[in-house]
Amino acid sequence: TPAPSVTPGNPTAMPVSGSPAVYTFQAGHCYPGSEAPFINTGGSMGSDLAETGTPQECYAYCVGNSGYMGLDLEPLDSYSSSGHRCMCKLAAGDYNAGWMACKRPVGNSVAIEDMDWSWMGESYVCFTETFDADAELSNFCNDDDDYSYSYGGVPDDAVLCPGLPAADYCDCGGDCTGQPGWCNCTEALECCGLSQAPYSYSYLPAYS
């Protein structure tokens, strides 16, 4: 399936004088991870969909279950038997409470109905409700260092496994079961109190 035409937005990583940035991300649209806000609220997914569902099936699950505001699509997940993974993103009262949360202006987007694992070359964030990143997030992402943010970095009580971007650190808590791919090195497993990576994620009942 060829990649669809994207809807252009403002690709600027920081506000530019004379060119007002837009930070409102639309429900029903997916944005490349490099052009989307980083929202570290964790999440879950139906056990029969996390590694086998289409982007549309994953999105329908998030919409059909309460408490979610978006969907993470990971097309290059080496820990998934299918090579890809989807995970609903939890809504939160304070999105700044999550480590390293940051905002970017709206860039390119693809409608959820046009998303397909076959052409995705990076992670995507889809929104199930309109999200005003400017109102919800305080900090700007620093895109000079591939998901390493100048104001945060990896917390002292977390572990970053080799080969992963800084945003994918293991928090030694909820990530141990919610994001096992981030906690699959010896140091992270030890901080999680595990001898091996968990087999499955922390799932909610499958949506039907």
Side-chain angles (χ1 to χ4, degrees), residues 2-4 7 15 37 46 50-52 76 83 85 88 91 107 124-125 127 160-161:
T7 301
E51 297 184 1
T52 62
L76 305 174
R85 176 169 55 93
C88 296
Y124 274 73
V125 180
F127 291 88
L160 180 65
C161 289

Side-chain angles (χ1 to χ4, degrees), residues 94-197:
D94 180 9
Y95 290 98
N96 294 295
W99 282 104
M100 298 164 62
C102 65
K103 59 187 172 184
R104 297 182 177 93
V106 173
N108 299 313
S109 72
V110 178
I112 182 60
E113 57 264 27
D114 293 328
M115 296 297 295
D116 191 278
W117 293 117
S118 64
W119 54 260
M120 293 169 59
E122 66 171 297
S123 63
Y124 274 73
V125 180
C126 310
F127 291 88
T128 59
E129 58 186 42
T130 298
F131 183 78
D132 186 347
D134 198 33
E136 297 286 356
L137 300 171
S138 300
N139 296 304
F140 290 100
C141 298
N142 179 0
D143 292 328
D144 293 334
D145 191 22
D146 188 23
Y147 291 93
S148 296
Y149 308 133
S150 60
Y151 58 85
V154 179
D156 292 339
D157 57 352
V159 174
L160 180 65
C161 289
L164 295 180
D168 292 356
Y169 65 83
C170 176
D171 66 4
C172 301
D175 288 344
C176 297
T177 54
Q179 300 285 0
W182 300 355
C183 305
N184 199 30
C185 60
T186 300
E187 184 180 359
L189 291 171
E190 289 178 353
C191 81
C192 287
L194 301 171
S195 59
Q196 61 183 19

Side-chain angles (χ1 to χ4, degrees), residues 82-93:
S82 64
H84 54 72
R85 176 169 55 93
C86 62
M87 188 72 67
C88 296
K89 187 178 290 294
L90 288 169

Side-chain angles (χ1 to χ4, degrees), residues 1-119:
T1 302
S5 299
V6 297
T7 301
N10 181 348
T12 310
M14 295 289 284
V16 177
S17 177
S19 179
V22 176
Y23 292 88
T24 302
F25 293 79
Q26 299 297 324
H29 284 259
C30 302
Y31 301 81
S34 59
E35 300 179 22
F38 182 70
I39 305 167
N40 190 12
T41 58
S44 59
M45 176 53 66
S47 59
D48 58 337
L49 293 177
E51 297 184 1
T52 62
T54 65
Q56 294 77 23
E57 290 171 334
C58 296
Y59 186 86
Y61 177 91
C62 301
V63 170
N65 287 274
S66 61
Y68 298 121
M69 52 75 70
L71 168 71
D72 285 327
L73 297 174
E74 298 287 346
L76 305 174
D77 189 336
S78 60
Y79 298 101
S80 166
S81 59
S82 64
H84 54 72
R85 176 169 55 93
C86 62
M87 188 72 67
C88 296
K89 187 178 290 294
L90 288 169
D94 180 9
Y95 290 98
N96 294 295
W99 282 104
M100 298 164 62
C102 65
K103 59 187 172 184
R104 297 182 177 93
V106 173
N108 299 313
S109 72
V110 178
I112 182 60
E113 57 264 27
D114 293 328
M115 296 297 295
D116 191 278
W117 293 117
S118 64
W119 54 260

